[in-house]
């Protein structure tokens, strides 16, 4: 059960926790004013191929702890909806994940219908599967509802073209029958195919040393667009902004998914794929600002944190910085 005193730095019985400015985060309740809802998925299923990285399931809690310890001056309220965790009595990891994803899906559908901005925390990048499915079904089911009962709680419902912006070093398009490392958006593409929906994908920061030629060929087959990490430089900002702007014109809703491995190990050491080089933080923030300014971002993922390798919580601080940037740009 969520320990309110642990997570939320407001006064209890008239005694302030401390005098330092911190983020005022309240427990999530459906009747709350529309805001950003933080929800964690304590899963590292997509990293299970790499036994040394299985501590990533602790990532959501690490980010949540850092979030309440960091000052926040944005206007959008922040709510905490806890963390979805695996139940130990399940014997198979894939079965555990299916149950967790179903819980994530139900929670996100409810949040979206109430006008909230869900911010999902991982863990492995499989957090993106439930995020996309919830957004896709919410938009399409509401769009097909002739009664109009949900129109007042879906003010953003104009068209049903959903696009993914994946800021990551990995396409996450590894072909696999089950969720494996690097396969999250392959699962999403399979979901789109099964439901006769168009898969729209823009990858930013893709590393050609991490992704195989087969994966890049598959991305082309799916009609995906992308920029390599070598292209994601501030000197190329006009081209980057042009690519993002054209993509935003082609969609009505955005699923923004950010993997912390897109950054170099100098600023993000506690990730699943530590890299010497990566995309500069200023470039990522530029893209986030542009996407948020479109008013089309409906759900956000922050994935890839492994606290076991996060020296002095540096990567958790980076994740919180990204969350704040998302909310202040809304």
């Amino acid at each position: 059960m969520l320990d309110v005193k642990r997570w939320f730095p407001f006064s209890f019985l008239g005694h302030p926790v401390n005098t330092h400015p911190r983020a005022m985060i309240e427990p999530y309740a459906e009747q709350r004013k529309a805001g950003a809802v933080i929800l964690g998925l304590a899963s590292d299923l997509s990293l299970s191929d790499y036994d040394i990285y299985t501590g990533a399931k602790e990532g959501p809690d690490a980010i949540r702890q850092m979030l309440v310890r960091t000052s926040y001056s944005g206007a959008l309220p922040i709510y905490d909806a806890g963390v979805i965790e695996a139940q130990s009595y399940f014997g198979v990891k894939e079965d555990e994940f299916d149950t967790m994803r179903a819980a994530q899906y139900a929670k996100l559908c409810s949040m979206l219908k109430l006008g909230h901005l869900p911010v999902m925390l991982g863990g492995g990048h499989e957090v993106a599967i439930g995020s996309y499915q919830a957004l896709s079904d919410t938009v399409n089911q509401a769009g097909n509802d002739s009664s109009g009962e949900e129109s007042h709680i879906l003010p953003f419902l104009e068209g049903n073209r959903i696009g993914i912006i994946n800021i990551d070093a990995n396409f996450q398009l590894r072909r696999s029958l089950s969720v494996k490392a690097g396969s999250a958006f392959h699962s999403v593409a399979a979901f789109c195919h099964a439901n006769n929906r168009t898969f729209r994908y823009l990858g930013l920061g893709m590393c050609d040393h991490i992704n195989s030629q087969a994966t890049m060929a598959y991305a082309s087959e799916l009609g995906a667009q992308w920029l390599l990490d070598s292209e994601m430089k501030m000197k190329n900002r006009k081209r980057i902004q042009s690519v993002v702007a054209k993509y935003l014109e082609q969609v009505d809703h955005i699923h923004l998914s950010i993997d912390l491995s897109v950054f170099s190990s100098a600023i993000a050491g506690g990730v699943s794929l530590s890299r010497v080089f990566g995309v500069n933080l200023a470039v990522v923030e530029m893209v986030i600002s542009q996407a948020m300014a479109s008013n089309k971002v409906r759900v956000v993922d922050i994935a890839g944190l492994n606290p076991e390798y996060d020296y002095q919580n540096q990567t958790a601080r980076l994740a919180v910085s990204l969350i704040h940037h998302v909310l202040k740009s809304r």
Side-chain angles (χ1 to χ4, degrees):
M1 184 176 70
L2 186 65
D3 185 344
V4 175
K5 292 185 180 181
R6 178 182 180 189
W7 294 115
F8 307 109
F10 32 64
S11 301
F12 290 88
L13 302 178
H15 300 289
V17 176
N18 59 51
T19 58
H20 297 289
R22 294 186 176 186
M24 296 299 292
I25 304 175
E26 302 178 59
Y28 172 65
E30 290 189 352
Q31 69 272 21
R32 296 284 189 191
K33 173 185 175 183
V37 184
I38 308 297
L39 177 63
L41 187 74
S43 168
D44 50 18
L45 182 61
S46 69
L47 305 176
S48 60
D49 289 355
Y50 311 104
D51 292 338
I52 62 172
Y53 293 126
T54 55
K57 61 180 177 291
E58 306 298 332
D61 268 340
I63 297 173
R64 290 167 68 236
Q65 289 182 54
M66 188 57 62
L67 191 61
V68 297
R69 291 161 53 187
T70 308
S71 62
Y72 168 68
S73 58
L76 196 66
I78 306 178
Y79 309 117
D80 189 297
V83 176
I84 300 169
E85 298 180 338
Q87 301 297 317
S88 59
Y89 53 81
F90 283 108
V92 182
K93 279 195 171 184
E94 284 77 7
D95 289 346
E96 284 185 319
F97 175 67
D98 286 343
T99 302
M100 296 168 70
R101 183 201 51 75
Q104 174 194 1
Y105 171 89
K107 290 176 181 291
L108 292 188
C109 287
S110 175
M111 294 172 190
L112 288 165
K113 291 175 182 178
L114 292 171
H116 294 297
L117 173 67
V119 179
M120 286 299 312
L121 307 179
H125 211 135
E126 67 268 21
V127 67
I129 301 172
S131 294
Y132 184 91
Q133 290 176 349
L135 176 58
S136 182
D137 280 352
T138 299
V139 166
N140 282 278
Q141 290 170 6
N144 293 330
D145 182 5
S146 59
S147 68
E149 293 180 356
E150 293 182 322
S151 60
H152 67 291
I153 53 177
L154 286 174
F156 57 75
L157 190 60
E158 296 180 5
N160 62 354
R161 299 174 301 171
I162 298 173
I164 299 160
I165 296 181
N166 182 34
I167 304 177
D168 192 353
N170 194 319
F171 277 95
Q172 302 291 335
L173 285 172
R174 172 185 173 187
R175 295 183 196 245
S176 175
L177 295 177
S178 60
V179 181
K180 299 291 184 182
S183 73
F185 286 117
H186 165 69
S187 297
V188 169
F191 169 82
C192 290
H193 178 75
N195 290 276
N196 195 30
R197 296 172 189 172
T198 303
F199 179 74
R200 300 176 178 88
Y201 177 100
L202 174 62
L204 300 173
M206 302 298 108
C207 178
D208 53 5
H209 299 299
I210 293 175
N211 299 279
S212 67
Q213 290 297 318
T215 296
M216 299 182 82
Y218 179 44
S220 294
E221 179 184 326
L222 290 171
Q225 305 173 47
W226 67 86
L227 291 175
L228 297 174
D229 53 356
S230 59
E231 300 174 284
M232 294 287 290
K233 309 291 185 182
M234 192 56 76
K235 65 181 181 180
N236 297 330
R237 61 185 177 276
K238 289 185 178 180
R239 183 183 173 219
I240 296 169
Q241 291 173 331
S242 176
V243 168
V244 173
K246 289 179 181 177
Y247 183 76
L248 290 170
E249 290 175 358
Q250 300 166 8
V251 299
D252 304 302
H253 314 283
I254 288 293
H255 171 197
L256 177 61
S257 197
I258 305 169
D259 195 302
L260 297 167
S261 66
V262 75
F263 300 104
S264 74
S265 57
I267 64 170
V271 298
S272 57
L273 293 172
S274 184
R275 306 168 60 215
V276 175
F277 302 105
V279 179
N280 188 279
L281 175 59
V283 176
V284 172
E285 289 181 336
M286 177 186 72
V287 171
I288 290 174
S289 295
Q290 186 177 2
M292 296 304 297
S294 72
N295 292 319
K296 294 182 178 181
V297 175
R298 313 297 179 213
V299 62
V300 179
D301 305 324
I302 305 289
L305 175 63
N306 187 337
E308 185 174 352
Y309 300 97
D310 191 17
Y311 179 68
Q312 294 187 337
N313 299 312
Q314 181 183 33
T315 315
R317 294 178 193 276
L318 173 61
V320 170
S321 174
L322 292 172
I323 292 170
H324 286 176
H325 192 76
V326 164
L327 303 188
K328 291 177 181 179
S329 300
R330 183 178 169 95

